[in-house]
Amino acid sequence: MEKFEKLTVVGAGYVGLSTAVALALLGREVRVLDTNLARVEGLRRGEPPFYEPGLAESLAQAAPRLRYTTDPAEAYDGSGIAIVAVGTPPTPAGHADLRYLYQALETLARYRVPLAVIKSTVPVGTNREAQRILGPGVAVASNPEFLRQGQALSDTLYPDRILVGAEEGWVFGVLERLYRPLLEQSFEELPWLPRPKALREALAGGYRVPLVRTGLESAELAKYAANAFLATRISFINEIANVAEAVGADIEEVVRAIGLDPRIGPHFFKAGLGYGGSCFPKDTRALAYLAKRGGYDFKLLRAVIEVNQAQRYRLVEKAEAVLGRLNGQTIALLGLAFKPGTDDLREAPSLEIAEELLARGAHVRATDPKALEQARQLLDPRVQTFADPLEALEGADAVLLVTEWPEYRALDWAEAKRRLRRAVVLDGRNALDPQAMAALGYVYQGIGRGRKVSEAVL
Ligand code: UGA
């Protein structure tokens, strides 16, 4: 199997770089091809292009087996497998923009790489199109990725499953060999990325990570179905949270009660400001579009998207209700990244919230432990940004907690109260303890925390 020894990963984003680093850590020589010269040069110096836990250490450890280039001839020379993980961003109409993928495939077609593995999230049918572009001498496998940002390397090294869609039997064999160390978890865990306890225990009982073999279309659809289902859970629990507010129930108590049913489970049931990021918003829209194009109206998914959009404005509405008006008031936003553990602002609710607050005449102050630099480029210049959260709260009439960074749970809320003009905290992620906040004298509201709203008067 000498022929499949050399590997090329195309695209040094979250998915491509995590895959390249993981395979290099497992002992493979990997060449990484990216069209972005600044990114390639940074990687050559050992600099991670984005914040991701354990990435800097892993890049350093795997450096001898990683080569970065913008030159396809160098990247593909003698390569047996091309793992394609370029971005598929959304177009304004809601479908996936496949431009970068097709460019990458057209380049790849000029080299004699026998197996193309598509990791990018792509609409159903794209792998067949890839097959057409690459021609009969090349096999195509669909190999969607399920990693989460903020845990990208850990999810890659310790996957729940590896999904491979292909047409020819030998392709499964080649990828089974490529991923064997991951399937068998036969490698030493990294000190900075420990193996999850549940996986360790399962392995002790003889468990092996499943390799799911499917056809091309099923693998493509499975990726969208996974994200659409997870998005549905979030919109569902957010609607129950909104009902909880209307009827005086507490969403955290409801989730504890229903999550114990093994058919339901407790995961992915955090009520809040809805989902953001580079995946759920894009993939839900793309699946709805894909269904529509195929003549099917995916009503449930359309509602999931609509609920998510409305959810983003819950805190703005609450702030207006508590303060009476927003015009002329100062609002502090705690957290800008779309979720904790990342500096990514793609489809972050914070951006729309800031816009809406400005539109209603408020002054906006904002902070984030990791995303501040990127945020300064995206936010309206009227939004003032601060590295120190306490400074961001200075003189504010209300605090909106938008991203549940651990730093904000650990904040000295007694000191914060001295800095604020009015002690109002609206917690968009239910990150804080309502009783503790009430005890400190705050007017506190979470999402769906019906009776656990402190009624202290302003
Ligand atoms: C998501 C999926 O979880 C991954 O499995 C998938 O591989 C990835 O998309 C992708 O398609 O590439 P990610 O976007 O990194 O990963 O982030 P998640 O941790 O899943 O969170 C997504 C959004 O949902 C965040 O805005 C988060 O705040 C929100 N969320 C998540 C909730 O509002 N409630 C929850 O209970 C969970």
Side-chain angles (χ1 to χ4, degrees):
M1 282 293 148
E2 196 44 35
K3 184 173 159 196
F4 299 107
E5 210 34 51
K6 289 196 176 171
L7 299 177
T8 308
V9 170
V10 189
Y14 284 92
V15 172
L17 198 55
S18 303
T19 305
V21 170
L23 291 170
L25 286 169
L26 298 174
R28 300 292 292 246
E29 301 284 331
V30 185
R31 279 165 297 172
V32 181
L33 174 65
D34 199 294
T35 50
N36 181 338
L37 181 62
R39 179 164 291 207
V40 164
E41 284 174 344
L43 283 164
R44 285 181 183 148
R45 292 192 297 269
E47 290 162 14
F50 39 78
Y51 172 73
E52 193 59 48
L55 181 57
E57 295 91 324
S58 304
L59 282 173
Q61 165 119 346
R65 285 182 296 280
L66 283 167
R67 250 167 59 203
Y68 308 98
T69 180
T70 54
D71 175 12
E74 187 190 340
Y76 290 129
D77 177 42
S79 193
I81 305 177
I83 299 176
V84 183
V86 297
T88 52
T91 66
H95 49 268
D97 182 351
L98 298 177
R99 200 173 348 162
Y100 307 109
L101 180 76
Y102 289 146
Q103 274 162 13
L105 291 173
E106 269 147 28
T107 306
L108 174 58
R110 298 205 292 272
Y111 301 86
R112 303 184 65 80
V113 181
L115 177 57
V117 177
I118 313 283
K119 260 198 184 294
S120 308
T121 300
V122 292
V124 182
T126 308
N127 276 272
R128 280 195 196 278
E129 181 59 16
Q131 180 72 76
R132 200 193 56 73
I133 295 170
L134 294 171
V138 182
V140 171
S142 167
N143 177 212
E145 182 53 59
F146 298 99
L147 65 79
R148 291 160 290 180
Q149 282 178 230
Q151 295 163 83
L153 275 172
S154 182
D155 283 351
T156 307
L157 287 166
Y158 311 116
D160 305 319
R161 77 294 208 188
I162 291 179
L163 171 58
V164 176
E167 297 268 278
E168 293 158 86
W170 65 265
V171 173
F172 296 115
V174 169
L175 291 182
E176 156 109 60
R177 268 190 298 282
L178 175 68
Y179 293 132
R180 188 166 294 151
L182 296 175
L183 298 168
E184 292 176 351
Q185 291 288 301
S186 52
F187 58 97
E188 289 285 320
E189 64 177 14
L190 301 167
W192 57 89
L193 289 169
R195 188 169 271 123
K197 187 162 164 267
L199 178 58
R200 240 174 27 231
E201 287 168 0
L203 291 165
Y207 171 82
R208 189 177 196 266
V209 174
L211 176 76
V212 182
R213 297 171 163 84
T214 69
L216 290 175
E217 285 77 8
S218 300
E220 292 169 325
L221 183 56
K223 170 67 194 184
Y224 282 108
N227 278 358
F229 180 72
L230 292 169
T232 302
R233 273 183 81 99
I234 297 171
S235 279
F236 175 79
I237 213 62
N238 281 336
E239 289 226 279
I240 296 289
N242 298 344
V243 175
E245 279 177 17
V247 301
D250 181 74
I251 191 64
E252 305 287 316
E253 292 176 354
V254 172
V255 165
R256 217 172 335 125
I258 64 174
L260 288 168
D261 184 330
R263 293 169 304 175
I264 299 173
H267 306 295
F268 242 74
F269 258 163
K270 279 299 291 173
L273 297 174
Y275 56 81
S278 66
C279 302
F280 288 172
K282 155 176 90 81
D283 294 348
T284 44
R285 286 198 296 265
L287 180 54
Y289 175 84
L290 206 64
K292 191 171 159 210
R293 209 184 54 187
Y296 185 73
D297 179 16
F298 198 153
K299 292 193 197 68
L300 178 59
L301 192 57
R302 280 201 287 115
V304 165
I305 295 166
E306 197 182 315
V307 167
N308 194 62
Q309 191 53 36
Q311 197 69 15
R312 297 188 159 188
Y313 297 104
R314 293 292 287 187
L315 280 195
V316 180
E317 304 297 343
K318 280 174 194 275
E320 198 159 66
V322 173
L323 299 175
R325 65 189 162 83
L326 288 173
N327 193 19
Q329 313 272 323
T330 300
I331 308 292
L333 299 183
L334 282 186
L336 296 165
F338 87 90
K339 67 171 186 179
T342 177
D343 58 0
D344 200 330
L345 284 159
R346 282 177 286 177
E347 306 255 4
S350 64
L351 301 176
E352 280 180 272
I353 292 172
E355 284 294 314
E356 187 60 26
L357 289 169
L358 289 173
R360 296 192 192 191
H363 305 293
V364 183
R365 300 164 70 89
T367 181
D368 190 281
K370 288 271 185 288
L372 219 48
E373 210 178 298
Q374 286 88 322
R376 288 195 184 110
Q377 288 152 36
L378 294 172
L379 287 168
D380 186 301
R382 284 174 294 171
V383 176
Q384 289 182 279
T385 54
F386 303 88
D388 176 3
L390 286 172
E391 217 178 302
L393 305 190
E394 204 74 59
D397 295 286
V399 180
L400 308 192
L401 193 152
V402 178
T403 314
E404 66 278 32
W405 288 97
E407 285 88 331
Y408 304 145
R409 276 195 195 99
L411 198 73
D412 182 346
W413 283 100
E415 172 59 20
K417 191 159 174 264
R418 288 190 279 275
R419 307 279 188 111
L420 290 163
R421 190 142 62 133
R422 289 200 262 183
V424 176
V425 172
L426 304 173
D427 181 355
R429 300 292 178 180
N430 293 346
L432 306 172
D433 176 7
Q435 266 92 34
M437 294 304 281
L440 285 171
Y442 278 101
V443 172
Y444 170 89
Q445 290 185 24
I447 300 282
R449 315 215 66 180
R451 295 200 198 287
K452 298 210 172 143
V453 170
S454 72
E455 305 283 359
V457 277
L458 285 172

